[in-house]
Amino acid sequence: MKKMRQPSQLKEAWVLCFLLGVVMLNYPFIHIFNKDATLFGIPILILYLMVGWPLSIMVIFLFTRLLDRNSSQPDNRDQP
């Protein structure tokens, strides 16, 4: 049986997701991908944003599905 997560742990996980998103869109990472090079005719920065943004949304989506699955499971601790 999986152990239910504490609300403080869930808040920490959401804060971590937010901070990773902020870091991804902050100056050092944007500067790394702001090059004149292209990949398949698409500038690297645009490709980074168009792949990174949906990827971060997918991570948050999977995280919320995991939370919903854990919260919908009945708590069987009272049964022998």
Side-chain angles (χ1 to χ4, degrees):
M1 177 184 293
K2 290 184 179 180
K3 184 179 177 183
M4 292 296 289
R5 302 222 191 267
Q6 300 296 326
S8 64
Q9 290 176 334
L10 296 178
K11 288 180 185 177
E12 290 173 1
W14 280 114
V15 169
L16 181 64
C17 285
F18 173 74
L19 289 176
L20 287 175
V22 168
V23 166
M24 185 182 96
L25 294 174
N26 210 344
Y27 172 72
F29 283 94
I30 296 293
H31 185 68
I32 290 171
F33 293 100
N34 191 15
K35 306 292 180 198
D36 290 333
T38 61
L39 185 65
F40 303 115
I42 303 171
I44 301 288
L45 178 63
I46 302 300
L47 194 62
Y48 170 71
L49 293 174
M50 293 299 148
V51 171
W53 188 258
L55 207 70
S56 65
I57 291 172
M58 185 177 298
V59 166
I60 292 172
F61 171 74
L62 293 175
F63 179 70
T64 55
R65 286 197 47 165
L66 176 68
L67 290 179
D68 287 342
R69 188 176 304 149
N70 284 342
S71 66
S72 67
Q73 291 178 352
D75 191 11
N76 295 329
R77 292 185 210 164
D78 297 333
Q79 297 177 353

